[in-house]
Structure formats: C-alpha cells, structure tokens
Amino acid sequence: MSVDGMPLPAWKHARGRPGYPADAAVWNRWYAEADYGWSPASSSVRSELNGLAPGRALDLGAGDGRHAVWLAGRGWHVQAMDFSTEALAIGRERAFAEGVTDLITWSVADVTAHTPAPGSLDLVLAAFLHLPGADLEGTIARTSPGLAPGGLFLHIGHDPADPRESALGLRTAAVLHDSARVAAWARRAGLHVESAETRSRPVPGSRRPALDCVILARSPAAPAPAPSAPAQHSHREVPS
C-alpha cells in the first residue's frame, strides 16, 4: 500500500513511530484523510504484467485498488484483498468509474491468513505489501498453491537499499526485504524464480529514483501425461 510519489501525512512517517503500520485502523485513517486523487498503477507492475493474457488474479494488500483496476481494465478477473475498508471503498469507486465493477471482487481480510483454493489463480500480486519477514514468507507459502500450473507470482516492494526509505523513516528494517531473500522464500514455496532484481523506478516530482525489489516466479507446469502404451492386438491362427 504505497503510492508512487505521493506525499505521506506527517503523523504516518514521523520518527519514533513503530515503522510501517500493520494496523487496519491506521490505514483507514490514512485513506479517509488523504486527498491525493487516484494514483496510477505502479510502473514496475505495468512493465511486468502488461500484455499478458488475462486470467484470474489475487491482489494482496490491494489498497485503493490501483492495481486491481488496472488489471481488470485488461480483462483480468481480480480478487482485491485488504484489511482497510476505507481503501477498498476508494477502489470500488475507481472500478465503477473505469467500468470494470463486474471484474473485481473486494475482500476485507487479513492477507496473512488467506489461503486460496488450489489451482484457482493465474496470478498472485503482492505489490508493496510490506510485512515482517515471517509474515511475508508465510503469505507466499499459503498463496502459492493457489496458482494453476504455469501461474505467476509477482512481488514488488521497496528495496532495503533505497535511500529514500532510510531518509524519511517510512518503514523499519523488519519489513524491507531484498530480492535474494524474497526469492528464497518463493523457492521454498515451490515456485520457479524467473527473475530477482533491484530495479530503479522514476518517482514523479523527485530527482532521486526509488529502488524496488522485484521478484517474478512461476508455478511449475503440470507434468506432461505419460505416453500411452501401444494397443495390444491378439492374433489368432485361422485354421486352414
């Protein structure tokens, strides 16, 4: 639940606070008070997913729905999940304005406790879902079996090396994870990691780019069916 280039309220990133809030009430307050308009989908999400054939997606920590609406606009059926009712209310408004209401299901839930039905998804998106390591690893482990064979898992988060994070004091080190660490969690969950990198992302209104941790992984493809044995034909001798 991070917005590219969006100024954050002073109370949210003041030093001495416990870091990135993991409290629905805090996020409800932020979304209720913030007046920043509708931010676009992250450029990192767009670059990874644009042009893919649509399917069924789970957007973890969907926030105000910017990624869910973007996906739905490209034909995806999306379950947008977040524990902030205020955030999802904004998302519903966005979906209505974009004409994609029927393609998105909004779920008020704790993403760290959600287990999708096995094989029910083509994409799991965890975009700027900043959680302590054990919680994020557990979330990856629980949601990965929900991917159909060949389905994608995409994680994008603020990288620990991003100087913007330490300068503003937005998040504690406990919720910032580098690509090697997240990739290891994805592999433990049975996914094939296709790329794991720290990527520079331009930030509107800032001369300093952000650094994102980007992990793209895939659920193993279904094994090819074993070739069937050739039919056995019996041959009877015909009496002469």
Side-chain angles (χ1 to χ4, degrees), residues 126-218:
F128 304 102
L129 177 67
H130 290 280
L131 298 169
D135 288 339
L136 183 57
E137 181 180 11
T139 299
I140 295 171
R142 272 188 295 275
T143 56
S144 294
L147 288 168
L152 290 175
F153 169 82
L154 176 60
H155 166 86
I156 298 177
H158 297 288
D159 193 271
D162 190 340
R164 297 170 56 87
E165 298 301 309
S166 58
L168 296 177
L170 300 183
R171 282 159 277 270
T172 64
V175 297
L176 295 175
H177 314 293
D178 62 27
S179 58
R181 195 177 192 192
V182 180
W185 294 335
R187 292 188 183 99
R188 288 178 197 168
L191 301 175
H192 294 309
V193 176
E194 297 189 348
S195 61
E197 60 182 312
T198 299
R199 183 177 301 170
S200 177
R201 169 174 51 84
V203 176
S206 174
R207 291 180 296 177
R208 180 188 296 173
L211 294 178
D212 290 342
C213 164
V214 182
I215 308 298
L216 183 67
R218 191 180 296 273

Side-chain angles (χ1 to χ4, degrees), residues 1 11 23-38 61-66 80-95 106-109:
M1 290 183 290
W11 62 264
D23 185 327
V26 173
W27 282 107
N28 281 333
R29 177 183 171 190
W30 183 39
Y31 280 107
E33 295 181 358
D35 183 16
Y36 56 83
W38 291 349
D64 64 0
R66 60 181 179 141
M81 183 173 292
D82 201 287
F83 61 8
S84 170
T85 56
E86 292 288 343
L88 296 186
I90 296 172
R92 289 187 180 91
E93 294 176 3
R94 297 181 70 152
W106 305 93
S107 300
V108 179

